[in-house]
Amino acid sequence: GAAELSADDLQGTGIPRKELLKLVKCVLKCAVAQAGSLENVSADDIDAALSAADVGEGDVRAAARDAILRGLVLIFATHAWRYSRGRNVKVAVLDTGIDPRHPDLRVYGGISYVPGVASWLYDHYHATHIPATIAAILNARGIAGVATEARLYAVKVLNRAGSGMTSWIVNGILACARARMDVANLSLGSAAGTHDRRVYSVAFERAGQQLRAVGGLAVAASGNDNSFVGNPARCPSFMAVGAIDNSRRRAPFSNFGPQVEICAPGVSVVSTVPGGRYRALSGTSMATPHVAGVAALVKARRPTRSGSSIRVHLWRTALDLGVAGRDWAFGYGQVHAYRAVVTA
């Protein structure tokens, strides 16, 4: 079933402590004066009390009720929000289709490349978990994503079993290139049998080159076998993402090798699942959308930057982990949203 949000999963939203104290005081005051008990307090009561106490406007109020998950805190996403929320950046999620009815998601469209399946709507939970990490909206409920104002698109390339043919995924990548998607998130992959950089899928690479040519960035999961980086992440045109835990240690399942470029939180990541619910999952699939979200923040801050330029910028601003410099476990280090946005 859906995982419950616990205090250990959440952090404050970056609201100054004195303002949070005011918020708590005014909610309690509202409970006593308006409703007589906490159980009877309505959202309208809280908004009225916030206005009276001058706690803040708009996003600050929404953020007071949207959970800021541990992963967002680890990558310093809330600090980056002062400069960018990813507004209007187009992010494609190539996966099993998205549930657009989830209240934390705003999906702007989609397409299916699964034979015999015309709809891009979900028939498997996986692709509804990915987009909220990228762009769950600030809506006074649920969780917040890395880039709360990015535009999500569903590209269905995996079937109801969560698997797909290379040709389906390639068609999805080419569609992203035609639609000039700014970022493509590929939390999927197939196994490889070597660390050799020269060995990769030519089909995926050709499609990735098309996306790069129009300025897009493809971000892909390295895989969960504690082994070789899989395709398409190992292809030169894709940014390979490894997973770390909430103590910034390499996740024991995360694939490693010379192809790994960057890492992000991927252990017990709480996100959306169909039916308006939330669930904690682990995998490089969960790490990848953290990176895609940061790329969206940078793109919104500097719209003229190409995906290739943003890719290198994320290397240069990463929080170095492990041995100094690039390594096989962490790449250049953990994605750092604040550094990336401020220096974009």
Side-chain angles (χ1 to χ4, degrees), residues 6-56:
S6 71
D8 288 340
D9 291 317
L10 313 179
Q11 293 282 345
T13 58
I15 302 172
R17 180 179 174 144
K18 62 182 180 181
E19 291 199 1
L20 274 177
L21 184 59
K22 271 202 273 186
L23 184 148
V24 172
K25 284 181 177 179
C26 78
V27 169
L28 291 175
K29 180 180 178 181
C30 172
V32 174
Q34 303 278 345
S37 69
L38 282 171
E39 288 77 9
N40 294 326
V41 176
S42 70
D44 289 340
D45 291 333
I46 294 173
D47 280 336
L50 286 169
S51 295
D54 193 28
V55 169

Side-chain angles (χ1 to χ4, degrees), residues 241-300:
V241 181
I244 57 173
D245 66 17
N246 292 322
S247 297
R248 295 196 172 104
R249 298 170 299 202
R250 184 180 76 90
F253 54 77
S254 184
N255 286 356
F256 56 91
Q259 298 86 0
V260 175
E261 296 181 27
I262 205 158
C263 60
V267 175
S268 299
V269 175
V270 176
S271 191
T272 50
V273 290
R277 298 182 303 152
Y278 300 84
R279 181 177 175 185
L281 295 174
S282 298
T284 55
S285 283
M286 285 70 242
T288 303
H290 285 88
V291 177
V294 175
L297 294 178
V298 175
K299 181 67 175 181

Side-chain angles (χ1 to χ4, degrees), residues 87-252:
R87 176 166 292 182
N88 293 331
V89 174
K90 297 189 295 184
V91 183
V93 178
L94 287 81
D95 214 293
T96 59
I98 301 174
D99 178 4
R101 293 174 293 275
H102 198 291
D104 246 350
L105 299 175
R106 185 177 294 130
V107 185
Y108 287 81
I111 193 168
S112 172
Y113 285 100
V114 176
V117 180
S119 171
W120 54 263
L121 298 179
Y122 78 100
D123 51 19
H124 186 283
Y125 67 88
H126 190 268
T128 299
H129 198 273
I130 305 306
T133 300
I134 300 168
I137 57 178
L138 287 178
N139 59 350
R141 62 170 295 170
I143 64 174
V146 176
T148 60
E149 296 178 2
R151 298 167 68 101
L152 293 168
Y153 294 84
V155 181
K156 188 177 179 64
V157 295
L158 303 179
N159 62 23
R160 65 193 329 169
S163 62
M165 301 292 290
T166 296
S167 60
W168 307 351
I169 301 167
V170 164
N171 284 334
I173 297 167
L174 293 175
C176 290
R178 289 193 298 271
R180 294 186 176 269
M181 288 289 155
D182 298 305
V183 183
N185 187 101
L186 296 101
S187 290
L188 49 78
S190 58
T194 177
H195 286 307
D196 191 337
R197 286 176 176 271
R198 299 168 295 180
V199 179
Y200 53 81
S201 165
V202 174
F204 279 132
E205 175 58 16
R206 285 176 177 165
Q209 287 174 2
Q210 293 288 320
L211 184 59
R212 286 182 68 180
V214 296
L217 173 63
V219 186
S222 65
N224 305 323
D225 307 309
N226 187 31
S227 184
F228 311 110
V229 174
N231 284 299
R234 67 185 295 116
C235 299
S237 291
F238 294 75
M239 189 174 195
V241 181
I244 57 173
D245 66 17
N246 292 322
S247 297
R248 295 196 172 104
R249 298 170 299 202
R250 184 180 76 90

